[in-house]
Structure formats: C-alpha cells, structure tokens
Amino acid sequence: MNLKIKFSRINILTLLLVFVTQLLLAQTTEIKGTVLDARTKETLPFVSITVPGTRLGTTTDVDGNFSMKLTGQYKQIAVTYVGYVSQNKAITPGVPQTVKVLLKADANVLSEVVVKSGRRKKYSNKNNPAVELIERVIANKDKNRVEGYNFAEYEKYEKLTFALSDLSDKFKEKRFFKNYQFLFQKQDSAAIGGESILPLYMEEKLSRNYYRKSPSKTKTKILATKKVDFDPKYIDAQGVSAYMNRMYQDIDIYDNNVFVVSNQFLSPIAPTAPSFYLFFITDTVYRDNQKLIELSFAPRNKGDMLFQGKLYVTQDGKYAVKNALLTVHRNINLNFIRDFESDLDFDRDTKGQYYLSKTNLKINFGISKNKGTGVFGERTVSFKDYVLNRPIPDSVFTGPLEEVVQQVAGNSEQFWQNKRHEQLAEGEKGIYRNIDSLQNMKSFKRTAEIATLLLAGYKSLGPVEIGPANTFYSFNPVEGFRLRLGGRTTTELSKRYYFEGYGAYGFKDEKWKYFLSGTYSLNNKSIYQFPQNYIRASFQRDTKIPGQELQFVQEDNFLLSFKRGENDKWLYNDIFKLDYVREFENHFSYSVGFRKWNQKAAGSLEFAKFEDGALRRLPDLNTSELSLELRWAPNEKFYQGKLYRVPVPGPEPVFTARYTAGIKGLLEGQYNYHNLLGNISKRFYLSQLGYSDVTVEAGNIFGQVPFPLLAIHRANQTYAYQLNSYNLMNFLEFVSDHYASLNIDHSFNGFFLNKIPLVRRLKLREVISFKGLYGGLRDENDPYQNQSLMVFPSNDAGVRNTYTLEKQPYIEGSVGLSNIFKVLRIDLVKRFNYLDNPDVSEWGIRTRFKLDF
C-alpha cells in the first residue's frame, strides 16, 4: 500500500516537473537593445545577435538598434561584429528587457580587414571601402550571371506553397475547425509564419529553359505541373496560380529593378544603388572553400521600396555575389507584409563563372503587421543540369516563349519523386491529399457557398447559380426603385451549353427589362475559363446612360445609384447580338459579331430633327452592325471572377483594335458607317519614382450618323474616381466623329512623403493624373450644319448641353493621396477648360477603394 502511494507521489512529481519544464520552455522573452563602440559610443550597424547553440538571431539596424522575441529558456545572447571582440550578454528568460552592449575594437582583426577603427564618421560614399566594393560588383555584374554566357540551358524546378499563419490555439479550437484539425501543422516557433499554420495551396512546376545572348532569345518548355485543384464553382484555380506567381516572382538581384508583390524594388547592385542604399563591410566568412566579404546594406530612407540585407562577395577578382539575403525594413511603405525574406545562392562552373543555383522567397501577409491570423507563402526555385556556351539550334526558339510539352506521367507521384530537385518536407507531403479531402466535406462546401455569395455575389444551386447580388436593388431617375433577379447555368448542367438571364422592373416607368443568352462552348471548357472559344446569341431589353462605360462593375450596381448633377438622359435599348469569341494561349484573341440595336430616348432625352422648319420627334433609332475586334495582351495574368477578369498588374502592354460597320437596309438598319478604334495601355515602372498607367486611344467614324452613333466620350457623374473616364465631364456633354486621347495615372509610392518626419508614419502615397481629349466633328455630322440629322440634346430651359471639341482639347487633372487606411484613394480633380458649359464644375473630390500592397 505504502509502495503504491510512493509511486503515485513520484508520478505526480514527475508530471509537475514536466509541466513546469514545458511552461518554462514556452516562456517568451522580448529583448530590445542597442550596440555601441565601447570607446566612441557610436552605434554599430548590422551587428550579428545570435542565441548560442541555435539558429535564432537577428542583426542591428543602421542605427545600431535591435529587437527579438525568443520562446524558450535561453539565458544569453552572443554579439559579434567584424573588427570587434565578440561578447556574450546575459538575459533573463520570460522578462521583457532592454540591453546596452559595448563592443571593444580588436586591433588584430582590424589589421586584416578593410573596416577602420576609431570614431565612426558621418556616412559618405566618398572614400568608403564598402561603396568601392559595391561599385566593383556593379561593374562586373554582367559577367557573373547566366546572361553573361552566349548560350545557356538548364532545368528549373519551382515550388509554391500557401498557408494561414500565426494561428493561435483559440483560433484552432473554434467550432468551425472541429472537423479540420488534420489540416493544421506545427513548425519551429521562430520560423516565419509562427508555430502553427494551416496549408491551403501548393503547386509545382518542372521546366527546361533555353537562353541565347545574340540575338537575344529565351524559351521555356514546361515538362510537368502539379497543383491543388479547387472546385471552379468557388475559386478560379488558374487565376489563383497566375496571381500568386505574379506576387512571388523570381528575384534576380542582377536586374536593376526587382518585382516584389506587384511593386518594383531597386536592386542593391543596380548602378544607382549607392545613391539609395547605405553599405557596410561587416565580416569575412568562408563558404564552400571560398573566402567571402560580408557586405551589409540598408535603405537610406526606411520607407522607400528598397531591400535591406547582406551580400557575400567573392574575393577571386570577379566580384561576384555568392550568396544574398534580402529582407525589408519594418517601416517600409508596403502594406500587409509582416515578414519578408529571400535567399539566393550562386554556384560557379569549372571556368570560374557564376550562375544562379537556388532561390527561396518567404512572405508573411497580415491585415495587422503585429498580430492576428495571416497568410504565409513560400516559393522555392532550384536550377540544375546547366549546359553553358553550347550553341542552341534556332528551331528551339520558334513558337511562343512558353510552351507546354508535358510528359504523360507528369502528374504521377512516382514521376515527381524522381524529378524533384529536393524532396518535400514532412509538412508538405499531405497538402494535395488534405485539400482534396477538405473539398469533399459538406461543412466546407457550405462555407465556400456563403463566401462566394458575399464576395462574388452568386449563390450556387448545383446546375444553376443566382446573382449577382449587388444588382438586386438599385434606383435611378428614369426607373425609380428597380428590382432585378437573375442567374445562369454552370458546368454541372453542361460543359457545352450555357444559359444566362435576368428580369428587372422599374417602379417609376413601370416597365419590365430582361436579358437572355445562350452560349455554346466549342472547346468543351467553361466559357469563363481561359482560353475561351464559344458562340453566343443574346437579347437584352434594358436602360443605359449614353457615355457611361464601367470597369468591373455593372450599371445597376447599387453603389452607382448615387450621382451628381442632372442625370435623366437615358436610353431604352433592344439589342440582339450574335458573337464568336476565340482566345489563344499566347493571349491573342479575336471576336466577330453582329448586333441589331434599337434605341429609344428615355427620361428628358429626345430624338428629334427639323423638318420643314419644325422640330419633329423621332420614335427610335435602328442600326445593324458587323464587327471585328482584335486584342493582344502578351504575358497577361488575371484572376477570373464570376463576372469579370481582374488583371494582375504587369509591365506588358495591351493592344486592342476594333472595326464596326453599320449596314443600311439590313434588318431595318437606317445608316451606313464605318467605325475604327485603336487602344494601347501599358504600365511603366520608374523604379523609385513609382509607376505610370498610360492609355492612348484614337477613333474615327466614316459616314453620316446622328449623335447617338457618334463617339460619346466617357463621362462620370458618380462620386467615385474612375480611371478610364473623365471625372468632371457630364454624361452626353461631348461627342466626336474623330478623336485621340491620352490618360496618365501616376503613383509615386510615397517617394516624397516617406521623407517627411511624422507624415511618413501614415504611409501615404502621392498620386497625380492627366487626361487629355482632342476631337472634332465634320460638318456632315454636325446638326447645326446639317439639319437632316437629330439635334443635340438640351436641358429643360432649352439650353444646349451637348458639344463638340472644335475649340481646344478637353483637359482635366488631379492630385491626390492613396493608401489612406490602406484601402482608400482621394483625388482633388480640376477641369481646365470648357467651364462655360452648363452645369459643370471646375473642381471636384473623388474617392476610389483599392486594396493594394
């Protein structure tokens, strides 16, 4: 009996000891501190702070400050810096503390390296050995990259994973996750993303890549791909892949500018880098039997789009980068990014030339930068089987830049086990299987349907989905209170045939409106999936504002019901359309169409013309048109939503050309005319000065037509700032039969505001815009010169309110601030001319909601 009691006491003591040990190990120690020169009391930048016996650590910033959080029973930190005697500093576990570390200069070490002892002078590029070193790296960089070879080919393996990060125990214990516990994974508490994550996505790609220096050519042959496939009812998997790969692009520091989450960063080895970065030689190390100089760098201005980190430079006379560690400053004007870390490794061939061998990019996103659930993504890219300077036949480079030559066995697990450059980590092996299991769970499907209704506006009912929800209710001066209900079929009904429609009723005009369409897919794919290839027939009876063109929203969206000024000149349209649409993998597309269009004036708008000196009202306007549209968007990336494709910003241009022919006598068509339109849009990245979105457009109408068939320039009478419309122009204010326009919208990404104390804490970004429109109207289309045409609209007082642009171009511009609360842009818009036109404003304030990094 006593023996049993004794054993019980031992067990209790053992359990208590284990509990206390785990409690101590789980303690979080927050340490802040400053490292200084013991003699001069000058702060020391980029000092290495580590926990002995672990891989935990950090470095001081350019001001000599550091902070770190440790989970565990650690009692000291090690402080090391080239040219100084290393020092271990005692810390107290579980207690927040601030430490000051004084390092003594080591004369023996200083005699071997280029760092000089003594009082640290004010930073200057002149006579600075670190700047002299980076300038040599810059001067030799073209020799130390693949592009320095005449020919190169290699195999490339890419892996991209995403997970919910920084998950608390409270989050995991929520009732919603009761059936999903198998999804959660543990990782090192010091790792980016926190101790507990929930993997959501993974994709892999294997390719063979070819490069020729002169004439410059590249080619990628995709050998195999594998990724998590989401149910297309809820998520566009192809779009997710395109978007994430744009966010997590390959980082090549040998490029002058590097894309990071849709922003352009200046490389630390760009020619202008010494003007934007501070450089310090902080150590000499040995790696792979090479002696390397550790060159630390940081942004001169902490808010600018710049990296900070370390370069390890070879001392073999080539001044090549052997390794690079890139991070960003915690005060950078970049939204939603908690942690950023990129590692790059370079190898050398038998002749001593260097090439990229592996990159790893980790980014942890979160609404708050300090706490709460986030999204962690990691992209690993490795390169092997290099063949350098062996001539490559011209035939290899024919066809598109990227070509799929996927092997038959490319999706088998055995294939990937043999072909992966490195095996999956334990936590990654079950991602494909777990997500498949998740999507088959009823509770997940219910959640996905609710999310789709809230975010995309559609409710799935199997073969049919109802929506979009934001059009169910709206109001306007013509229809008054308007109700609408619509829906469409899905691939569950058929992959060939698709039907869509809606019905709407206006309680003021007491008229029904409706839309019906039937589509036949010629490639047996969803018509909402790239590349499209279908024939569609549709009929629509509905209202429209002349001159309003919207992007990514519908005209009866509730939020667009609120407009400024008079807004009662509308149209009743009956439109029958027959379209054929064809897209190609290289993002060239064309569409051929026929449209029979009946227009009736609505509200205060009238169709009238002079006959025998009297004004006679016309009942309607009928046209029959044939059209051809060509579009080319090289390397375009987008997310396919339920209604629209949302483009992922990139540097490639988009070209559009459209030809429309009106045919008199065909199905009651009343006019012969030819309409030509060309449009080019492109984003120009200007490194540290931000980027400009530029659109150039021109059009010409040949033939005699009434004003509803002229180019009615895109106006905006809402309070939202619209990028492609003239924000202080009234609907139907200007018409032309020939015109040219230039729109420039520029964001400085906070380049100026980042340098103003206190203001830079708000992380605002400066935006400016210019919009110019030049046009005119030939006498044959001017009702004041040709009275056989419809007269221009006028207001209730009989004053004309539709004009031409004969006098001068229409010009408006704006200055504004974006990134307000991370989602809001506010512009002060000025209209520079045509201020004598009725009911116009010289100034206006417009807002725009945009979620951006």
Side-chain angles (χ1 to χ4, degrees):
M1 181 72 176
N2 292 334
L3 189 61
K4 288 183 179 180
I5 293 173
K6 188 177 290 185
F7 272 116
S8 297
R9 289 174 178 172
I10 292 174
N11 288 337
I12 293 172
L13 288 173
T14 302
L15 289 173
L16 285 172
L17 181 62
V18 170
F19 174 76
V20 171
T21 301
Q22 289 181 340
L23 185 64
L24 289 173
L25 289 174
Q27 286 181 323
T28 298
T29 307
E30 184 174 357
I31 309 166
K32 295 181 180 180
T34 306
V35 182
L36 305 96
D37 183 299
R39 185 175 69 85
T40 68
K41 301 301 185 289
E42 291 288 329
T43 57
L44 298 176
F46 302 108
V47 178
S48 178
I49 315 292
T50 60
V51 178
T54 76
R55 298 183 64 185
L56 304 176
T58 186
T59 59
T60 61
D61 61 19
V62 71
D63 298 317
N65 300 314
F66 72 94
S67 64
M68 60 193 305
K69 289 183 179 180
L70 302 175
T71 302
Q73 193 72 358
Y74 302 115
K75 296 183 178 180
Q76 64 178 359
I77 55 175
V79 184
T80 58
Y81 193 52
V82 65
Y84 290 81
V85 178
S86 297
Q87 183 181 141
N88 286 353
K89 188 76 173 179
I91 58 174
T92 305
V95 178
Q97 53 209 280
T98 300
V99 298
K100 179 187 290 186
V101 182
L102 301 176
L103 293 183
K104 296 180 179 180
D106 187 338
N108 293 327
V109 175
L110 288 175
S111 65
E112 299 178 4
V113 298
V114 293
V115 178
K116 297 180 180 179
S117 63
R119 184 174 180 86
R120 187 160 62 93
K121 299 179 181 179
K122 182 179 179 181
Y123 185 90
S124 172
N125 283 354
K126 188 176 181 180
N127 299 323
N128 186 332
V131 174
E132 291 172 5
L133 177 61
I134 197 64
E135 287 176 342
R136 293 182 183 181
V137 173
I138 293 168
N140 287 272
K141 72 176 189 174
D142 289 338
K143 303 174 185 177
N144 294 317
R145 58 189 307 198
V146 166
E147 286 77 5
Y149 296 91
N150 291 322
F151 298 92
E153 58 180 284
Y154 52 89
E155 185 175 276
K156 180 180 180 181
Y157 168 75
E158 305 168 64
K159 179 180 67 179
L160 181 65
T161 60
F162 280 90
L164 292 182
S165 61
D166 299 303
L167 304 179
S168 64
D169 291 337
K170 184 178 180 180
F171 179 90
K172 291 166 58 178
E173 292 167 1
K174 287 183 178 180
R175 183 180 177 185
F176 175 81
F177 292 105
K178 180 180 178 181
N179 298 322
Y180 306 142
Q181 292 298 310
F182 67 94
L183 295 173
F184 292 98
Q185 291 183 7
K186 291 280 189 181
Q187 61 176 16
D188 191 315
S189 60
I192 293 178
E195 185 176 2
S196 185
I197 61 174
L198 194 161
L200 295 176
Y201 182 76
M202 179 172 172
E203 70 170 60
E204 299 173 273
K205 182 191 293 185
L206 186 71
S207 62
R208 192 71 186 169
N209 296 263
Y210 304 85
Y211 166 77
R212 184 178 67 193
K213 187 173 185 179
S214 181
S216 180
K217 284 281 188 180
T218 60
K219 179 78 170 189
T220 298
K221 294 188 176 182
I222 299 174
L223 306 177
T225 57
K226 185 176 183 179
K227 62 185 177 183
V228 169
D229 285 323
F230 294 107
D231 190 328
K233 287 192 303 184
Y234 310 123
I235 298 174
D236 170 28
Q238 191 176 22
V240 168
S241 176
Y243 187 82
M244 295 307 177
N245 277 284
R246 180 72 82 176
M247 295 295 102
Y248 285 74
Q249 293 185 66
D250 291 343
I251 289 182
D252 184 356
I253 59 169
Y254 281 101
D255 288 334
N256 290 336
N257 293 286
V258 180
F259 283 99
V260 176
V261 288
S262 76
N263 290 285
Q264 198 177 53
F265 281 53
L266 184 71
S267 168
I269 58 174
T272 58
S275 298
F276 292 92
Y277 286 101
L278 303 172
F279 291 95
F280 303 88
I281 295 175
T282 50
D283 205 350
T284 54
V285 299
Y286 283 89
R287 292 185 179 178
D288 299 330
N289 297 319
Q290 280 185 280
K291 188 177 182 180
L292 307 173
I293 299 175
E294 181 184 88
L295 183 64
S296 298
F297 59 93
R300 289 175 181 263
N301 188 285
K302 300 169 186 177
D304 289 344
M305 297 294 183
L306 297 166
F307 297 108
Q308 69 176 23
K310 297 181 179 182
L311 303 176
Y312 294 88
V313 181
T314 64
Q315 292 185 276
D316 55 3
K318 293 183 179 295
Y319 298 99
V321 176
K322 183 68 171 65
N323 308 100
L325 171 64
L326 308 178
T327 62
V328 295
H329 196 276
R330 62 180 180 273
N331 293 331
I332 190 173
N333 192 345
L334 197 62
N335 293 330
F336 311 118
I337 292 186
R338 292 177 178 169
D339 301 287
F340 174 98
E341 184 179 291
S342 179
D343 292 285
L344 293 84
D345 296 322
F346 297 82
D347 285 337
R348 58 180 173 175
D349 65 7
T350 54
K351 296 181 180 180
Q353 287 186 282
Y354 290 83
Y355 56 85
L356 186 63
S357 60
K358 186 176 180 179
T359 68
N360 180 260
L361 174 62
K362 299 176 181 178
I363 307 178
N364 191 28
F365 299 92
I367 299 298
S368 165
K369 282 200 172 186
N370 299 315
K371 60 182 179 180
T373 302
V375 177
F376 170 63
E378 180 176 8
R379 176 184 170 88
T380 301
V381 183
S382 58
F383 309 81
K384 73 174 188 178
D385 297 340
Y386 273 91
V387 179
L388 303 170
N389 280 336
R390 185 177 73 184
I392 301 173
D394 291 344
S395 58
V396 171
F397 298 101
T398 58
L401 295 177
E402 190 172 272
E403 181 180 356
V404 178
V405 290
Q406 191 158 322
Q407 300 179 14
V408 175
N411 285 324
S412 70
E413 184 54 36
Q414 187 61 46
F415 172 89
W416 284 102
Q417 286 183 7
N418 295 333
K419 291 294 185 178
R420 288 185 182 108
H421 291 187
E422 58 183 37
Q423 292 304 307
L424 298 180
E426 283 300 318
E428 296 171 334
K429 291 180 179 179
I431 293 179
Y432 293 120
R433 181 182 64 253
N434 289 345
I435 299 301
D436 284 342
S437 301
L438 176 69
Q439 293 189 90
N440 290 323
M441 298 175 67
K442 291 183 179 179
S443 57
F444 173 80
K445 291 182 178 180
R446 286 194 299 268
T447 304
E449 287 176 358
I450 294 172
T452 302
L453 177 63
L454 294 176
L455 299 176
Y458 278 89
K459 174 67 174 74
S460 177
L461 300 175
V464 175
E465 53 188 9
I466 306 299
N470 58 9
T471 64
F472 289 168
Y473 166 72
S474 62
F475 58 89
N476 60 70
V478 173
E479 298 175 274
F481 170 46
R482 169 182 166 124
L483 292 179
R484 169 178 150 168
L485 183 64
R488 63 188 186 185
T489 64
T490 69
T491 53
E492 289 191 27
L493 180 69
S494 172
K495 288 187 177 181
R496 287 284 187 184
Y497 299 96
Y498 297 83
F499 302 95
E500 183 175 2
Y502 68 76
Y505 185 76
F507 285 82
K508 182 177 180 180
D509 64 357
E510 299 181 343
K511 292 180 180 292
W512 284 97
K513 294 88 182 174
Y514 57 89
F515 169 78
L516 296 170
S517 75
T519 306
Y520 179 72
S521 173
L522 295 169
N523 60 1
N524 203 31
K525 289 184 177 181
S526 169
I527 59 173
Y528 307 108
Q529 182 180 341
F530 178 84
Q532 296 175 338
N533 185 11
Y534 63 77
I535 297 174
R536 170 179 288 161
S538 65
F539 180 80
Q540 182 181 42
R541 171 169 289 178
D542 212 333
T543 58
K544 179 177 172 60
I545 302 174
Q548 175 168 276
E549 184 171 313
L550 302 174
Q551 189 178 30
F552 311 134
V553 290
Q554 295 194 323
E555 291 188 29
D556 50 3
N557 185 311
F558 171 74
L559 296 177
L560 297 180
S561 299
F562 304 93
K563 295 182 174 68
R564 61 178 176 83
E566 293 185 6
N567 174 38
D568 57 355
K569 291 180 173 58
W570 287 55
L571 293 171
Y572 287 118
N573 291 319
D574 283 354
I575 302 175
F576 170 77
K577 294 179 68 177
L578 184 64
D579 297 297
Y580 171 61
V581 175
R582 179 68 191 275
E583 294 180 330
F584 298 88
E585 292 287 350
N586 63 356
H587 293 273
F588 171 78
S589 63
Y590 68 87
S591 60
V592 180
F594 167 76
R595 177 171 71 167
K596 176 176 168 51
W597 185 11
N598 174 265
Q599 303 181 60
K600 293 184 176 69
S604 65
L605 182 64
E606 291 184 350
F607 289 170
K609 68 177 182 178
F610 283 99
E611 287 187 0
D612 299 326
L615 195 63
R616 184 174 70 87
R617 293 182 179 176
L618 303 176
D620 57 13
L621 172 64
N622 287 288
T623 55
S624 295
E625 299 175 337
L626 295 175
S627 64
L628 171 66
E629 180 172 303
L630 308 177
R631 185 178 184 274
W632 184 41
N635 300 314
E636 181 182 40
K637 307 294 183 185
F638 54 80
Y639 178 82
Q640 177 67 63
K642 288 287 187 180
L643 286 171
Y644 304 101
R645 287 178 174 174
V646 181
V648 180
E652 295 84 3
V654 178
F655 304 90
T656 305
R658 185 184 308 138
Y659 167 69
T660 304
I663 304 175
K664 185 177 181 179
L666 177 63
L667 299 178
E668 301 179 343
Q670 296 173 311
Y671 294 92
N672 280 319
Y673 55 89
H674 302 275
N675 189 337
L676 291 174
L677 180 144
N679 180 291
I680 303 174
S681 62
K682 176 177 169 57
R683 172 168 287 188
F684 292 91
Y685 287 93
L686 304 177
S687 191
Q688 292 303 290
L689 291 176
Y691 60 86
S692 289
D693 289 320
V694 179
T695 301
V696 179
E697 184 174 292
N700 196 60
I701 299 172
F702 302 91
Q704 188 180 97
V705 293
F707 78 84
L709 301 180
L710 294 172
I712 302 174
H713 297 298
R714 293 186 289 268
N716 175 28
Q717 287 186 221
T718 72
Y719 294 97
Y721 184 86
Q722 295 181 8
L723 296 176
N724 297 315
S725 299
Y726 301 97
N727 290 285
L728 291 179
M729 183 186 290
N730 292 331
F731 296 131
L732 258 175
E733 185 178 356
F734 291 104
V735 295
S736 302
D737 59 16
H738 59 279
Y739 71 93
S741 65
L742 173 64
N743 289 0
I744 302 174
D745 192 83
H746 184 83
S747 172
F748 285 101
N749 272 345
F751 181 77
F752 299 106
L753 296 177
N754 289 342
K755 297 167 178 60
I756 302 176
L758 298 180
V759 173
R760 62 189 175 201
R761 293 186 179 183
L762 300 175
K763 298 189 177 180
L764 302 173
R765 300 174 186 174
E766 320 86 343
V767 289
I768 59 173
S769 74
F770 168 85
K771 297 182 180 183
L773 171 65
Y774 172 80
L777 195 64
R778 298 187 300 273
D779 288 348
E780 64 177 325
N781 290 321
D782 187 345
Y784 294 95
Q785 304 296 328
N786 184 352
Q787 292 196 350
S788 66
L789 294 170
M790 289 184 188
V791 298
F792 282 160
S794 57
N795 60 23
D796 294 337
V799 178
R800 169 186 176 185
N801 52 16
T802 295
Y803 301 87
T804 65
L805 293 162
E806 304 292 349
K807 298 178 183 178
Q808 56 187 326
Y810 173 89
I811 297 175
E812 71 175 40
S814 71
V815 295
L817 295 174
S818 67
N819 208 41
I820 302 171
F821 307 120
K822 300 182 181 181
V823 296
L824 184 64
R825 166 177 171 170
I826 299 180
D827 282 75
L828 175 63
V829 188
K830 176 176 173 59
R831 174 170 168 159
F832 289 91
N833 48 15
Y834 293 101
L835 299 176
D836 294 331
N837 291 359
D839 302 319
V840 301
S841 299
E842 182 180 359
W843 297 91
I845 294 177
R846 301 289 178 267
T847 61
R848 177 178 173 83
F849 288 92
K850 184 185 179 185
L851 195 66
D852 199 359
F853 293 103

